[in-house]
Amino acid sequence: MKRRDFYMAGFGALMFFDTLTQVSFKLSSSHAGVFLPEFSWLLKVFLNPWVWGAVIGYLGSFVAWMTLLKRAPVGPAFAVSHLDVVTVLIISVAYLGEKLSALQVVGALCIMLGIVFLSLSKENKNDEQDNRQS
Amino acid sequence: MSKLALLIWALNITVDTVGHMAFKYAAIVDHKTELGRWKSMLSSFPIWIGMACFVCEFVLWLAFLSIMPLSLGILIGSINMVTIMFAGRILFKERLDRMRVLGMTLICVGVALAGGFS
């Protein structure tokens, strides 16, 4: 597979699974109602099929992430692994009927810009070497 | 944001950060073979702390989203990137260059604006 196609498929899969996880979390918790520190609340959550969407999303994200890291540079990969913020926001507004205030939109833009800056940071090889224990 | 939501959010971030640090502790153990590395990782105490943290985080995030809109939850949950980098700096002496500091600052500002903490 060409490098570009590999990145497109890998990053696409990662964003898809991360988004699936978050949307599934929301749908299963909404089904259970407002949080109560009781076993019955947890039971309601785990009896809802969407909670398994979150589990599948976690597993899919893990596989996509580990596959991507074989070839993708860690910096941009790290950024994209958090850019599910964008897709989750779109789905929240478009399909779950949530609304964002102007201030929250500005906040979202700051967070996205912050993620981009984190991805532009150079990986320091010394970080890895310093941390290894013999 | 209600006091309960704030408490669950703070717990979630704490557990997430502790979990990531525990996994990092477990992952940096060196071994001659990859299989041996995995064996020593899985038999180490930190990896089980990490797993316990992620189980707690799973439940805490569900609880958080039951009282918060997903859009707001995902935005203010982004603060974990900052806490993890700080913890990495303190525990593993990971470097914070200008780009990282700028990125972390922007995320903090974004979380403050989105969460109405400003």
Side-chain angles (χ1 to χ4, degrees):
Chain A
M1 190 187 279
K2 284 180 185 174
R3 179 174 285 235
R4 187 168 154 259
D5 295 342
F6 173 80
Y7 284 171
M8 291 291 283
F11 287 136
L14 187 62
M15 283 185 81
F16 169 77
F17 283 116
D18 280 341
T19 308
L20 172 69
T21 305
Q22 293 303 332
V23 173
S24 301
F25 265 126
K26 179 62 188 173
L27 292 173
S28 55
S29 63
S30 296
H31 168 81
V34 174
F35 168 70
L36 292 170
E38 293 171 1
F39 182 72
S40 60
W41 184 83
L42 266 183
L43 198 65
K44 273 186 197 169
V45 167
F46 283 97
L47 287 177
N48 185 270
W50 277 108
V51 82
W52 302 109
V55 174
I56 291 167
Y58 261 144
L59 294 175
S61 298
F62 179 73
V63 173
W65 177 245
M66 297 311 283
T67 309
L68 261 175
L69 285 185
K70 278 185 190 170
R71 289 167 67 176
V74 175
F78 174 79
V80 176
S81 77
H82 288 92
L83 281 178
D84 61 312
V85 170
V86 180
T87 48
V88 171
L89 281 181
I90 291 169
I91 289 177
S92 305
V93 173
Y95 294 103
L96 301 179
E98 294 181 2
K99 287 179 181 170
L100 288 173
S101 68
L103 210 55
Q104 286 170 338
V105 172
V106 175
L109 291 173
C110 284
I111 291 168
M112 288 168 203
L113 196 59
I115 294 170
V116 170
F117 276 112
L118 289 183
S119 78
L120 293 175
S121 162
K122 286 180 184 173
E123 277 301 305
N124 196 316
K125 288 177 184 173
N126 291 337
D127 285 351
E128 289 296 314
Q129 288 163 359
D130 291 347
N131 290 335
R132 296 196 86 80
Q133 295 171 347
S134 54
Chain B
M1 195 166 19
S2 69
K3 281 182 183 172
L4 178 65
L6 205 59
L7 176 69
I8 298 174
W9 175 66
L11 278 174
N12 182 266
I13 298 301
T14 307
V15 167
D16 185 45
T17 308
V18 172
H20 272 99
M21 292 304 108
F23 279 141
K24 177 76 178 173
Y25 263 116
I28 58 178
V29 173
D30 226 350
H31 206 278
K32 284 177 187 171
T33 63
E34 190 59 17
L35 184 65
R37 194 174 83 87
W38 275 94
K39 277 183 182 173
S40 74
M41 265 199 302
L42 290 173
S43 60
S44 70
F45 187 55
I47 204 161
W48 295 105
I49 292 181
M51 285 187 187
C53 283
F54 278 95
V55 171
C56 292
E57 191 191 344
F58 194 94
V59 176
L60 284 166
W61 192 243
L62 280 166
F64 186 62
L65 289 185
S66 76
I67 49 181
M68 294 290 286
L70 177 60
S71 50
L72 188 53
I74 195 87
L75 288 176
I76 64 174
S78 304
I79 199 71
N80 71 342
M81 283 181 265
V82 177
T83 57
I84 287 166
M85 284 203 170
F86 261 126
R89 169 73 187 152
I90 293 164
L91 296 176
F92 299 103
K93 308 284 183 269
E94 289 180 356
R95 301 194 181 182
L96 292 180
D97 60 23
R98 281 183 189 175
M99 286 296 225
R100 286 186 192 180
V101 172
L102 188 56
M104 288 161 71
T105 307
L106 277 165
I107 290 170
C108 288
V109 171
V111 169
L113 290 174
F117 302 121
S118 52

